[in-house]
Amino acid sequence: MSEENIELVRAVARVMWVLDCEDLPEDNAARKEAFKAAKPDVTKKARKLVRQLERRGVSMTYDASAAKKAS
């Protein structure tokens, strides 16, 4: 997996987690800890999603410069 795909999977995992998280902690430190606990499972799901989309002809790219502006 290329570095670009790794970053893409990480970004997709983070978004999936935010969308699925029912009790998103308001505190930034607590949010980081909660994501850290969920990261292995959500990253696995994100990787699977990205691969399935690629197999179906859907291509995505990760734009690091745009991601830094958004954060």
Side-chain angles (χ1 to χ4, degrees):
M1 190 175 276
S2 69
E3 183 65 31
E4 183 178 290
N5 274 359
I6 291 170
E7 292 300 322
L8 175 64
V9 167
R10 287 178 182 158
V12 170
R14 184 73 169 187
V15 170
M16 288 174 62
W17 177 74
V18 168
L19 293 174
D20 287 345
C21 191
E22 305 251 336
D23 316 345
L24 194 63
E26 292 194 24
D27 177 41
N28 204 19
R31 188 177 298 168
K32 285 183 180 182
E33 284 301 313
F35 181 68
K36 188 177 180 180
K39 190 175 179 179
D41 184 48
V42 75
T43 301
K44 182 179 177 180
K45 289 177 184 177
R47 188 177 304 115
K48 184 176 180 178
L49 174 65
V50 169
R51 285 184 184 150
Q52 287 180 357
L53 289 170
E54 286 174 347
R55 283 189 212 127
R56 286 165 178 78
V58 177
S59 63
M60 296 183 286
T61 59
Y62 179 78
D63 183 355
S65 63
K68 289 179 182 171
K69 291 177 190 175
S71 59

